[in-house]
Amino acid sequence: MTQTLDVLLAPVAGQEAVPAPGYAHPGDAGADLLAAESLTLAAGARALVPTGVSIALPDGYAAFVVPRSGLAAKHGITVLNAPGTVDAGYRGEIKVTLLNTDSADDYAIEKGDRIAQLVIVPVVRARFVEVDTLPESLRGEGGFGSTGYSRLESGEATTEGSK
Ligand SMILES: O=c1ccn([C@H]2C[C@H](O)[C@@H](COP(=O)(O)OP(=O)(O)OP(=O)(O)O)O2)c(=O)[nH]1
Ligand SMILES: [Mg+2]
């Protein structure tokens, strides 16, 4: 059963009201954010698109502004800083930095179009404990492709922790 959380939402002062972000289906993780104005994203261009809404997240939560897969796959439209992070203390307008990755086609956005989605997540804050050396681990400093790209050989894969 999906948990729900009350999140205060207010229109941005001085702007025409925009509908609240909406979940398309029960159980969806992302609530679609609407464009508060019409604009055309030229091929290769980016724009900071207003959504007309501001929220007050409870302490201990953040919201991620993430791309919609359909816009990305069909039109090359993505969120440049994905996931954009909305802090719990932020009271300004949520804005979406859209990027048209297509090198040939402009993309027209109409006011009210669902341009990105907002995923609410619980967060923990670290208390950084400074030490001279870190404890050893199996991975060590390996990263950035250190495990290669062909499928894992049997015996190397582990299902530990996946239960
Ligand atoms: O896609 C985004 C990302 C951020 N924000 C808002 C909410 C967030 O709380 C604030 C600051 O975001 P971030 O910390 O990513 O930006 P910054 O460049 O570090 O700005 P600041 O110095 O204000 O923290 O901007 C958005 O509206 N959309
Ligand atoms: Mg910041």
Side-chain angles (χ1 to χ4, degrees):
M1 186 70 181
T2 311
Q3 286 182 11
T4 57
L5 176 77
D6 286 341
V7 174
L8 301 177
L9 178 138
V12 173
Q15 279 191 23
E16 212 180 303
V18 174
Y23 294 94
H25 302 105
D28 281 2
D32 289 333
L33 289 164
L34 278 53
E37 64 183 38
S38 302
L39 70 149
T40 296
L41 266 179
R46 64 176 185 264
L48 192 56
V49 184
T51 66
V53 294
S54 56
I55 59 174
L57 288 164
D59 196 26
Y61 291 86
F64 287 156
V65 178
V66 296
R68 294 190 65 204
S69 59
L71 285 178
K74 292 178 190 156
H75 302 287
I77 302 296
T78 190
V79 175
L80 176 59
N81 59 324
T85 305
V86 179
D87 300 287
Y90 181 69
R91 299 290 178 268
E93 179 175 19
I94 296 176
K95 294 183 181 172
V96 181
T97 311
L98 283 183
L99 170 66
N100 182 357
T101 65
D102 199 286
S103 55
D105 291 340
D106 296 355
Y107 187 79
I109 293 165
E110 301 296 333
K111 182 179 175 181
D113 281 358
R114 292 175 289 141
I115 52 169
Q117 49 189 335
L118 196 66
V119 178
I120 312 272
V121 291
V123 292
V124 291
R125 276 175 63 97
R127 184 169 60 88
F128 293 103
V129 181
E130 297 186 47
V131 294
D132 288 334
T133 48
L134 297 173
E136 288 183 4
S137 73
L138 277 178
R139 173 175 278 275
E141 294 184 18
F144 308 98
S146 67
T147 63
Y149 296 98
S150 59
R151 69 179 176 83
L152 284 174
E153 295 300 326
S154 63
E156 290 179 28
T158 175
T159 54
E160 247 172 67
S162 63
K163 284 171 205 143

